Amino acid sequence: MRTIFWEDGSVRMIDQRRLPTALAILTCHSHIDVSLAIKNMVIRGAPAIGAAAAFGLALAAQESSAQTRESLLIDLEEASAFLKSARPTAINLAWALERVLRSAYSRKDAS
């Protein structure tokens, strides 16, 4: 089983606070949900936190009502800052967000 995964338009993750006595899966429907999961230590470990942040940004894109590429990028920047504030010293979190944003900015075919 994966620690974190995308399913049906949401992010699902093992609630690591419940281990080893129980296996509970948390479903996040928004980047705010993911940020709270990171902050509340539902998900732990540098790689998993980075993956959660990247998935959170994907949820932010899905949530966005932007009509233009520029508006979408602004929404993603705002969501990235919010996600980063969940655990500001987490290197993998910042790295993952920067990587996803860099990819979004480099897309030439997006409109």
Side-chain angles (χ1 to χ4, degrees), residues 36-49:
L36 289 171
I38 293 168
K39 186 173 190 167
N40 294 328
M41 298 184 73
V42 169
I43 190 137
R44 299 178 189 169
I49 291 170

Side-chain angles (χ1 to χ4, degrees), residues 6-28:
W6 184 271
E7 184 176 84
D8 298 327
S10 60
V11 177
R12 303 196 69 203
M13 62 184 77
I14 295 174
D15 185 341
Q16 296 179 9
R17 301 169 301 180
R18 306 279 306 272
L19 296 173
T21 58
L23 176 61
I25 306 295
L26 175 72
T27 302
C28 298

Side-chain angles (χ1 to χ4, degrees), residues 42-103:
V42 169
I43 190 137
R44 299 178 189 169
I49 291 170
F55 278 130
L57 216 46
L59 283 173
Q62 184 173 272
E63 296 165 43
S64 176
S65 60
Q67 298 296 312
T68 65
R69 180 176 187 270
E70 291 74 24
S71 295
L72 176 60
L73 292 172
I74 289 168
D75 288 350
L76 293 178
E77 288 282 356
E78 290 173 359
S80 176
F82 188 80
L83 286 158
K84 199 177 293 184
S85 73
R87 189 123 8 118
T89 60
I91 301 299
N92 284 51
L93 186 152
W95 174 85
L97 292 170
E98 290 167 14
R99 184 172 175 153
V100 172
L101 284 174
R102 191 169 46 247
S103 178

